Amino acid sequence: MPLEAGLLEILACPACHSPLREEADELICTGATECGLVYPVRDGIPVLLVDEARRPS
Ligand SMILES: [Zn+2]
């Protein structure tokens, strides 16, 4: 389910405050490589919690 238009523009990675990009049903931090956390989107709602994020494989 795509996110609401414009929503991505106001969201930021909670760990490093970098912009996010949407990919499949996840939001990927576009910041420094030492961050790069991947946040899940559940039922169309981004879960921007570091504890819920995963490291990219
Ligand atoms: Zn980040």
Side-chain angles (χ1 to χ4, degrees):
M1 184 192 313
L3 292 178
E4 192 175 326
L7 184 57
L8 263 188
E9 280 71 27
I10 62 171
L11 296 178
C13 172
C16 70
H17 306 115
S18 294
L20 300 167
R21 68 182 165 86
E22 188 176 14
E23 186 172 307
D25 58 350
E26 296 179 315
L27 295 181
I28 302 172
C29 173
T30 62
T33 51
E34 58 263 33
C35 182
L37 290 172
V38 180
Y39 299 90
V41 178
R42 296 189 186 132
D43 298 325
I45 300 172
V47 182
L48 295 180
L49 299 172
V50 174
D51 285 348
E52 298 283 329
R54 66 174 178 83
R55 294 282 170 186
S57 51

